[in-house]
Amino acid sequence: MAILWVLMAAAMFSMVLLPVLMRRRARIQQVAPGHPDAADPANYGFVRQEELDVRMPGPDQDLLDVLDVVQHTQDYHAAAQLLAGTEAEGETRWQRVQAFAGSASLELQTRPGGVSEIPGGQWLRVWRTEAPKDAGGAAVQAEFLVQQAWRTSTPGTEEFRIIMEEAQSACAEAALLAPGDPVPYIIELSVARGLGYPRPEFEQLWLKVLDRAPTHMGAHLAALHYWCEKWHGSRELAYSFAEAAAARAPQGSLLAAMPLFAVFEHLPEVNLVSSFYRSEVVSKAIHGALFAVQSARSDDPMAAHVRHLLILFLVRSERWPEAMAQLVHVDGHVGALPWTLSADPAADYAMYRALAVAGFEANGGSPAALPH
């Protein structure tokens, strides 16, 4: 029966390519592509699905420019320079370290190398060889190993443990090179989850993060995974961690959105009941996340992460105008939860965007009425 529900859910979502409005009953009904009533996201200036950037949650042109240079020249110097000029305590440095490590990992996956072929990501190896005291390169190497462990092996296996222990050593080295930098400790949070640190050991690690960056949103999201039911905690522990972070969030902090991420991490695999998304727990979490993005700095690099997750919850709870308001801010980039869990993040995002447009129009919305 469970399998039947999964198949039904998949069929329902795959059919909703161009949902459409039924204005008289304010409901959405499927029509053929090209039908005059078909809702078209392009009418709102949204980016075509094939042009969506799956690498990042939001724009960082400096990072994109440097990634292009590194990938085309296989020269690490531009990456080293960018990280050296990026504030250590901020969210941007963490995201850039992740991006460089992810680029090297994906290059290696695409070009594993051989007798006559240089393996992908060779620029990172050269970086570590030529500049072993460069704190940025050390952090990228540690994150690279973490991503390699999750991408190429299975948690609980010997291979996974070996790579994670190597990442653990790399985190320690990166921390020694930059004692005030929280990034090596944030990377180690993933190591702690993968290796199953005992709670006292994890809490000691978490204190090191808080000492250096107490309101770091990326760090809180990394720590939340440890406390989730599917790893080393429970629903109650994860909710408690997220709610405590939200409660102590200073004005303008995105930590007020943490409960929404805790709810997301514990969603049932199949839930076709829309009332669940209007429940008190979910509604309260959505409210906190909306408050967070409204009060955050316009240039906060973590705001896009919150907005992307809000789109999923707002669409599922049929809060169409609010969903459209989030789409306006993030459209064009889809490298964030929940889309990155999909085999095709752009297609998954585009489907929810089409649903939001259709629901918006079914209730009297139009491009002219699009909230900004």
Side-chain angles (χ1 to χ4, degrees):
M1 188 64 180
I3 295 175
L4 178 61
W5 277 110
V6 172
L7 293 173
M8 289 175 63
M12 290 173 65
F13 279 107
S14 63
M15 290 176 62
V16 187
L17 299 176
L18 286 173
V20 62
L21 54 90
M22 274 186 66
R23 297 186 185 278
R24 185 174 303 176
R25 298 174 60 191
R27 293 177 58 190
I28 303 171
Q29 179 182 353
Q30 175 73 18
V31 297
H35 190 284
D37 283 337
D40 187 357
N43 293 336
Y44 295 82
F46 292 144
V47 175
R48 292 164 60 93
Q49 179 179 326
E50 58 269 26
E51 296 173 356
L52 291 168
D53 191 326
V54 301
R55 295 172 294 179
M56 296 164 24
D60 184 344
Q61 194 58 50
D62 288 341
L63 173 61
L64 290 177
D65 291 343
V66 169
L67 277 173
D68 286 342
V69 169
V70 171
Q71 289 169 344
H72 282 93
T73 67
Q74 290 295 296
D75 187 331
Y76 69 87
H77 286 90
Q81 185 177 13
L82 182 64
L83 284 183
T86 305
E87 179 191 12
E89 295 79 10
E91 306 280 354
T92 301
R93 181 178 175 84
W94 166 231
Q95 292 198 21
R96 287 174 172 175
V97 166
Q98 286 184 300
F100 287 131
S103 175
S105 179
L106 290 173
E107 283 181 38
L108 181 59
Q109 184 178 5
T110 304
R111 301 193 312 276
V115 176
S116 60
E117 181 186 38
I118 297 175
Q122 181 68 16
W123 55 268
L124 178 55
R125 298 179 186 83
V126 176
W127 187 357
R128 297 298 297 128
T129 301
E130 293 185 354
K133 301 300 182 183
D134 186 333
V140 173
Q141 174 70 13
E143 174 64 17
F144 167 81
L145 290 167
V146 168
Q147 293 196 27
Q148 280 294 98
W150 293 112
R151 184 172 283 124
T152 65
S153 55
T154 304
T157 64
E158 183 69 6
E159 180 186 8
F160 181 85
R161 182 189 62 79
I162 290 172
I163 301 174
M164 276 297 187
E165 287 181 350
E166 187 179 352
Q168 186 181 41
S169 298
C171 288
E173 181 181 355
L176 286 174
L177 291 171
D181 187 352
V183 170
Y185 298 102
I186 298 172
I187 297 170
E188 193 179 351
L189 292 172
S190 289
V191 176
R193 172 164 58 104
L195 294 180
Y197 282 20
R199 287 183 186 177
E201 188 175 345
F202 181 85
E203 288 168 350
Q204 286 298 313
L205 172 61
W206 181 236
L207 287 175
K208 292 177 182 178
V209 175
L210 292 181
D211 285 345
R212 292 161 177 80
T215 61
H216 199 289
M217 181 70 173
H220 280 78
L221 292 176
L224 175 65
H225 289 297
Y226 178 91
W227 295 113
C228 285
E229 188 173 63
K230 58 190 172 185
W231 287 105
H232 309 293
S234 64
R235 180 190 301 266
E236 291 72 25
L237 286 170
Y239 279 25
S240 177
F241 174 81
E243 289 165 2
R248 65 171 182 269
Q251 179 66 30
S253 169
L254 287 164
L255 290 179
M258 284 297 298
L260 189 67
F261 286 87
V263 171
F264 174 72
E265 291 295 334
H266 294 87
L267 284 177
E269 290 187 8
V270 178
N271 192 314
L272 302 180
V273 182
S274 60
S275 60
F276 169 80
Y277 295 95
R278 300 191 188 100
S279 65
E280 183 179 355
V281 170
V282 176
S283 295
K284 183 179 178 181
I286 290 174
H287 177 77
L290 287 170
F291 171 79
V293 294
Q294 288 164 4
S295 59
R297 300 189 331 266
S298 59
D299 62 345
D300 192 317
M302 291 301 293
H305 289 270
V306 180
R307 293 186 187 279
H308 278 291
L309 194 61
L310 271 169
I311 290 167
L312 178 139
F313 278 93
L314 291 170
V315 166
R316 290 188 178 183
S317 56
E318 299 179 5
R319 295 168 63 167
W320 312 116
E322 291 165 296
M324 293 294 288
Q326 303 310 313
L327 285 164
V328 166
H329 287 283
V330 301
D331 192 72
H333 298 84
V334 296
L337 288 175
W339 326 121
T340 50
L341 296 178
S342 167
D344 189 344
D348 208 33
Y349 167 84
M351 179 183 68
Y352 273 84
R353 184 177 65 182
L355 285 168
V357 169
F360 183 58
E361 293 187 357
N363 288 276
S366 67
L370 182 64
H372 290 82

